[in-house]
Amino acid sequence: LIHFYKRWSKMHNGMIKWLAVTLFSLSLGHPHHDEFESYDGHQILSVHSSDRTKREALHESVPEGCDVLKFPQDGARPIDILCPPEHLDNVKQYLDRNSLDFNVKIDDVGEHIRSEDNYGSRKKRETNTRMNWNDFQRYDTMKTWMEHIAQENPDFTELIEMGRSVENRVIYALKIGRSPWGNNTRAVWIDGGIHAREWISPATASYLLNELVKNFKEVKSNCKHLGIQSVDWYVAPLLNPDGYEFTHTNQRYWRKNRSAAPSGSSCRGVDLNRNWNVVGWGAGATSNSPCSDVYKGPAKGSEPETKAVADTVIKLKDNIRVFLTLHSYGTYWLTTWGYTTTRPKDHEKQITLARRGADAVKCVNSNRDYTIGAAGDIFYIAGGASDDWAKATAEIPYSFTVELPGNDFVISKSQIIPVGEEMWAALKELAIEAARHPLGPDTAK
């Protein structure tokens, strides 16, 4: 989300024109201060246009203070823009002047957040309750729950402290599995919560973790369990604990981690999914501006959260056959690459397994249709993401980003279990493929 500036022009009858600093302006989605933000009066606009030139011009014309939440390449899908009250009139006038159709998707974002009961205040929201999937849980609840699982199930679980966040919160992964083939046992990696505002992601990742634990507890060797129990699983439900907590207490739409503002800036945070040390870092929808929501950071892999996960996965890369990172929103199953529109040599293989996963979802919910394709084709070029890193650097055969269902980052807590059940069905397909795939580096790039 690239930093823009406004300037008043005395020409054109005093019309405000917004000039972009660079192409693909995703702008600044929320205040840079740390105070509580209610989002009262904010609106989400859905802009409809199949005209590529107009869509690109819109990129360059979003004012500072607005946030492009979703920008698909497909002109049949709308562009979603979150704007505060002070910018709404100007944005709508721009859309009208340029014959860009739009509708108000959410009339009052503050009311929308409160109606979904998603925004616990610092005073009222419990920070350490019993783990369940009837609500979106806080970091301390998830942390304590994972520790408890490891203590109660030492025969098939192992708690891995990958590292610490900027604010010194521990970042856990949990291994689930009995390694039936010893060092030759294949594995599947699942993570969530790299973007703070995507609450359905850690909720789904933790749901899958719970289902895995229940499955292994049954210790049955029948066909129902063969796929799941033939591989080891590594699940890291919350990679960005600082940012996630900040969305519960201060700004619901915060995306980045909570790194300190660099010298000369007052803007905190790095987009952890633009920070990975991988080919294409800095390409496309990334920014050098600390005030951007897609700020890539001062260097590749500069952030402790990114480094913690990378160091862990590298140790396991010869066994991990499938890398699955959960995001939201929009119902997309994305393959590599994201940093370029050039496809990897094994693109069709990637698509085939993605389709198997999406088909398994439909067996649970016939109305759930995932759009499948390479990230760079479906959305926009964006370098430094974890899925590209998993395939290009770690050389893991399959690397997927799944954008979970929803029409916004704010999603009803009633959707946690249904979405979890759908992805649980997909995991069985991933496990079957992981179990049969050769070990070691996969160089099909």
Side-chain angles (χ1 to χ4, degrees):
L1 305 179
I2 298 180
H3 185 54
F4 291 95
Y5 62 93
K6 297 182 297 179
R7 75 177 182 187
W8 291 88
S9 173
K10 295 182 180 180
M11 301 173 62
H12 306 296
N13 300 317
M15 181 187 301
I16 297 176
K17 293 185 70 178
W18 306 302
L19 301 179
V21 174
T22 62
L23 185 64
F24 198 92
S25 53
L26 291 183
S27 78
L28 310 174
H30 33 64
H32 300 304
H33 56 72
D34 289 349
E35 286 78 14
F36 179 79
E37 173 60 55
S38 71
Y39 294 94
D40 287 339
H42 289 58
Q43 291 184 347
I44 295 179
L45 309 177
S46 285
V47 183
H48 308 265
S49 176
S50 59
D51 187 320
R52 186 176 183 86
T53 300
K54 288 185 177 181
R55 290 167 71 90
E56 290 181 353
L58 178 60
H59 290 171
E60 301 175 5
S61 304
V62 178
E64 179 178 326
C66 292
D67 182 3
V68 177
L69 303 179
K70 189 64 65 175
F71 187 89
Q73 293 277 25
D74 181 4
R77 294 175 178 267
I79 301 166
D80 288 349
I81 305 174
L82 169 67
C83 277
E86 61 269 25
H87 290 303
L88 282 170
D89 286 345
N90 288 332
V91 170
K92 291 176 182 179
Q93 289 170 14
Y94 172 89
L95 297 173
D96 286 337
R97 284 197 309 271
N98 290 276
S99 301
L100 286 163
D101 293 333
F102 71 93
N103 63 282
V104 178
K105 183 176 182 178
I106 297 176
D107 185 61
D108 189 311
V109 174
E111 286 291 336
H112 173 57
I113 292 170
R114 289 188 290 274
S115 71
E116 296 294 355
D117 192 26
N118 271 330
Y119 210 15
S121 73
R122 287 165 286 188
K123 295 180 179 179
K124 296 180 180 179
R125 171 75 73 164
E126 289 292 332
T127 60
N128 199 342
T129 59
R130 186 177 179 85
M131 188 67 184
N132 67 82
W133 291 269
N134 298 315
D135 204 347
F136 295 97
Q137 304 302 327
R138 298 286 290 274
Y139 164 78
D140 283 339
T141 298
M142 284 188 268
K143 170 181 173 290
T144 301
W145 171 67
M146 292 178 71
E147 292 168 345
H148 178 75
I149 288 175
Q151 292 167 2
E152 293 293 311
N153 304 283
D155 56 323
F156 66 87
T157 68
E158 177 189 352
L159 190 64
I160 302 169
E161 182 173 334
M162 297 190 290
R164 296 266 171 169
S165 68
V166 168
E167 295 177 349
N168 202 38
R169 290 183 174 92
V170 65
I171 305 171
Y172 280 145
L174 194 70
K175 177 190 175 184
I176 310 99
R178 294 189 172 88
S179 301
W181 308 108
N183 292 335
N184 292 325
T185 302
R186 281 67 168 169
V188 177
W189 174 275
I190 304 169
D191 68 53
I194 197 169
H195 284 149
R197 60 194 179 186
E198 298 170 10
W199 287 10
I200 192 63
S201 166
T204 302
S206 61
Y207 179 92
L208 297 175
L209 172 54
N210 192 56
E211 290 300 303
L212 288 166
V213 171
K214 290 193 299 182
N215 187 289
F216 276 86
K217 273 187 175 181
E218 294 182 17
V219 196
K220 293 179 180 177
S221 297
N222 57 33
C223 293
K224 177 183 177 182
H225 299 270
L226 274 178
I228 294 294
Q229 296 192 14
S230 64
V231 299
D232 289 334
W233 300 83
Y234 295 89
V235 185
L238 185 53
L239 302 188
N240 182 7
D242 301 347
Y244 181 73
E245 281 297 295
F246 191 70
T247 64
H248 280 269
T249 60
N250 292 60
Q251 295 175 20
R252 178 62 182 85
Y253 282 81
W254 183 263
R255 171 182 168 102
K256 301 185 287 184
N257 75 348
R258 295 293 296 160
S259 284
S263 177
S265 175
S266 62
C267 298
R268 297 186 61 169
V270 169
D271 182 349
L272 295 178
N273 211 38
R274 300 292 185 271
N275 186 243
W276 291 73
N277 185 1
V278 62
V279 60
W281 180 74
T286 62
S287 177
N288 295 317
S289 169
C291 294
S292 167
D293 260 0
V294 289
Y295 174 48
K296 64 185 181 182
K300 297 178 180 179
S302 61
E303 302 311 290
E305 298 90 347
T306 309
K307 187 176 187 301
V309 182
D311 289 348
T312 302
V313 173
I314 283 294
K315 295 174 185 175
L316 307 166
K317 66 184 180 66
D318 287 342
N319 295 82
I320 296 173
R321 304 294 81 192
V322 179
F323 181 96
L324 176 65
T325 180
L326 301 175
H327 287 247
S328 75
Y329 59 95
T331 323
Y332 296 90
W333 197 302
L334 305 175
T335 65
T336 51
W337 302 112
Y339 78 95
T340 177
T341 55
T342 301
R343 294 172 175 175
K345 295 176 183 178
D346 63 350
H347 173 74
E348 289 304 321
K349 184 179 82 169
Q350 302 280 326
I351 293 295
T352 297
L353 184 55
R355 188 170 292 114
R356 283 169 56 187
D359 287 346
V361 167
K362 285 189 74 68
C363 289
V364 178
N365 181 353
S366 60
N367 295 318
R368 189 75 76 202
D369 292 312
Y370 274 86
T371 299
I372 301 168
D377 291 337
I378 288 181
F379 285 112
Y380 41 79
I381 300 303
S386 67
D387 53 0
D388 281 359
W389 176 89
K391 184 148 182 71
T393 303
E395 297 185 319
I396 293 170
Y398 292 99
S399 183
F400 300 123
T401 293
V402 172
E403 298 277 357
L404 295 166
N407 293 317
D408 179 25
F409 298 118
V410 175
I411 183 172
S412 171
K413 61 189 179 184
S414 67
Q415 292 301 303
I416 297 172
I417 293 175
V419 171
E421 290 173 340
E422 294 167 15
M423 287 306 298
W424 173 242
L427 284 201
K428 298 171 187 178
E429 293 297 320
L430 303 186
I432 291 170
E433 180 61 23
R436 61 162 291 279
H437 204 283
L439 294 168
D442 186 285
T443 58
K445 302 176 186 179

